[in-house]
Amino acid sequence: MAVSSVKEIIKTAPAFAQLTDLAAERLGGQVLYATDDFFAEKENLLKKGRGIFITDKYTERGKWMDGWESRRKRTTGHDWAVIQLATPGKIVGFDIDTNFFLGNHPPHASVEGVYLDDASSITDWEAVTWEEILGKSHLDAGSQNFYECKSEKLYTHLRLHIYPDGGVARLRVYGNVFKNWNVVGADETIDLAAAINGGQAIACNDMFFSDMSNLIMPGRGVNMGDGWETKRNRTPNNRDWVILQLAIPGIINKILVDTCHFKGNYPDRCSIEGCLVATGENPLAEGTNWVTILPEQKLSADTEHYFEKPFVSTGNFSHVRLNIFPDGGVSRLRLFGNKA
C-alpha cells in the first residue's frame, strides 16, 4: 500500500470526535490480538483518556508506556492489532493518538475493517477477508492524528497496522452505533439514552470539569471525573443544561439521576424536558417545542434518584434536556422506556 497522497492530517479535533467511540473499552471494545506488544500491552489502546507519562517508571522489559508498543523490528514486515468494536457501527473517523510516543512512534498507520456475525472461532486473523478503510497514512509523534473514514458500510472488527513498529497510545473509532431495532419489542424496556444503544450527548452550556458524554456510559461512575460536571457559577438563578439525543424516539417510563461521587458539588435540583423533532432537525433551533417531563426535583449527594410515572408530559420524545440548578456534577442519567 502506498502512502496516501490526497489525505492531509487534521490538526484540530474535527466534528466527528463528538460522536461515540465505538471501540472504547468502557463500552465493551476489546483488543483481541497483536503481533507484538513487548513493551506495552495492546489492551491500553482502548482505555479512557489520552494516556499518561511517568518519568521514572520502568518494567523488566524497559520503559513503562501507557499505550501499545511493539519491539524494534529486525525482520521484514510490520506490526498490527485486531480490535473488536463494542457494537456494530458506521465509522466516521479515527484518532490514532501517539501521545508521549516521541522517539518511538510509528511513522505510518492504516486501518482495515470487516463485519463478522460471530468471531469466536477465528484463530487466524490473517485469513479474514479484510477491507481497507484508511490507507497508509502519516502519523505525527506525540499527537492526535485524525483521519476521516469514507466507507458507508457497517463494521464489527478492525485491524490497525503500524509501519514498521513502535507505539500508539490510544485508538479512537468515532461513528454511529448500529442497533437492529426490528428485534426490540415494543414492550421491551431499554435505556433510551445509553451510548451502547445509540444515544448521544450533543450539546451543553458548560462541561468545564468533565465531559457530557460520561452521562450515558455503562455502569456507575468510577470516580468524580467520570460524570458531567460544570464550573461554579456565580450568576443568580443560574441553570446549566445538557441535551441528549435518544437512541430511538420513545416513551419514557422511569428516570434515574445518579450523583455518584458528587458530594460537595452535586446540583441542588434538577428538571428534565423533552422534544420530538424529525431526523436531521436541530433541537436547538428557535421554535422547538420543549415540554416538561420531570419538574424541578431536589437532589442529594452521592445518590441514585429514581423518578417514575406519572410525569408532567408523556408521549414520544427524540431528545431530552437535563437542567441542573444552579451548577455541579451528575454521574449518570438513565431514561428507561419503550421505543415509539
Side-chain angles (χ1 to χ4, degrees):
M1 291 176 289
V3 176
S4 301
S5 59
V6 296
K7 296 188 185 74
E8 290 187 5
I9 194 166
I10 305 168
K11 294 297 184 182
T12 57
F16 66 64
Q18 299 301 314
L19 299 175
T20 302
D21 178 6
L22 302 173
E25 179 187 63
R26 60 179 177 161
L27 271 186
Q30 299 179 62
V31 184
L32 302 181
Y33 176 82
T35 52
D36 185 284
D37 60 353
F38 183 87
F39 285 117
E41 296 80 7
K42 62 186 184 297
E43 288 79 11
N44 292 332
L45 269 177
L46 308 183
K47 293 187 180 300
K48 189 179 178 183
R50 292 194 60 201
I52 62 174
F53 185 82
I54 302 176
T55 302
D56 295 323
K57 186 172 182 178
Y58 287 84
T59 73
E60 63 180 13
R61 294 194 171 190
K63 182 71 184 73
W64 178 88
M65 294 295 289
D66 190 6
W68 166 48
E69 185 182 2
S70 63
R71 74 191 83 195
R72 302 189 189 209
K73 187 167 287 295
R74 305 307 191 197
T75 59
T76 58
H78 65 277
D79 290 315
W80 47 270
V82 175
I83 294 94
Q84 178 177 294
L85 301 182
T87 170
K90 177 184 175 296
I91 300 168
V92 180
F94 304 98
D95 175 11
I96 306 172
D97 190 354
T98 57
N99 198 34
F100 293 115
F101 287 93
L102 301 175
N104 52 351
H105 81 289
H108 300 96
S110 68
V111 181
E112 296 174 307
V114 68
Y115 190 101
L116 299 171
D117 290 318
D118 182 5
S120 59
S121 62
I122 295 177
T123 56
D124 181 5
W125 287 103
E126 289 191 281
V128 171
T129 305
W130 296 98
E131 174 187 0
E132 186 176 86
I133 55 177
L134 176 67
K136 191 174 180 181
S137 303
H138 172 78
L139 298 182
D140 284 335
S143 301
Q144 290 177 280
N145 297 274
F146 293 103
Y147 283 105
E148 292 182 356
C149 177
K150 299 298 185 182
S151 176
E152 295 293 325
K153 296 181 181 179
L154 298 174
Y155 297 99
T156 59
H157 294 74
L158 302 180
R159 182 160 66 159
L160 171 65
H161 297 265
I162 57 174
Y163 303 93
D165 53 42
V168 174
R170 298 289 188 268
L171 174 67
R172 302 290 178 233
V173 182
Y174 295 110
N176 298 306
V177 170
F178 171 76
K179 188 175 182 70
N180 184 0
W181 292 103
N182 292 326
V183 301
V184 177
D187 59 349
E188 183 176 339
T189 298
I190 57 172
D191 182 356
L192 293 166
I196 195 65
N197 289 330
Q200 294 184 41
I202 62 171
C204 68
N205 73 310
D206 185 282
M207 52 178 177
F208 185 88
F209 289 111
S210 50
D211 194 275
M212 60 184 177
S213 64
N214 291 327
L215 279 172
I216 55 176
M217 289 294 125
R220 297 194 78 190
V222 298
N223 54 42
M224 200 172 72
D226 188 16
W228 168 54
E229 185 182 3
T230 65
K231 68 172 86 66
R232 300 189 188 208
N233 195 297
R234 313 304 187 185
T235 305
N237 302 313
N238 181 66
R239 175 198 68 151
D240 288 330
W241 53 267
V242 60
I243 293 178
L244 306 179
Q245 177 178 299
L246 303 186
I248 189 172
I251 301 166
I252 299 169
N253 300 319
K254 186 176 182 180
I255 296 170
L256 167 62
V257 180
D258 189 359
T259 57
C260 184
H261 301 296
F262 291 98
K263 299 176 181 178
N265 52 350
Y266 66 95
D268 180 64
R269 308 176 312 284
C270 78
S271 69
I272 295 178
E273 301 166 287
C275 70
L276 179 64
V277 299
T279 302
E281 289 187 5
N282 182 7
L284 289 168
E286 186 176 350
T288 299
N289 183 30
W290 289 94
V291 297
T292 299
I293 300 174
L294 182 72
E296 284 190 32
Q297 304 287 325
K298 286 286 288 184
L299 297 178
S300 301
D302 196 26
T303 300
E304 291 182 298
H305 307 80
Y306 285 96
F307 307 101
E308 300 190 49
K309 281 185 172 182
F311 297 128
V312 174
S313 297
T314 57
N316 296 331
F317 298 103
S318 60
H319 296 74
V320 298
R321 179 164 57 198
L322 169 66
N323 303 300
I324 58 173
F325 307 90
D327 53 39
V330 176
S331 178
R332 297 289 188 268
L333 177 64
R334 307 288 185 222
L335 301 170
F336 301 106
N338 313 110
K339 70 176 187 178

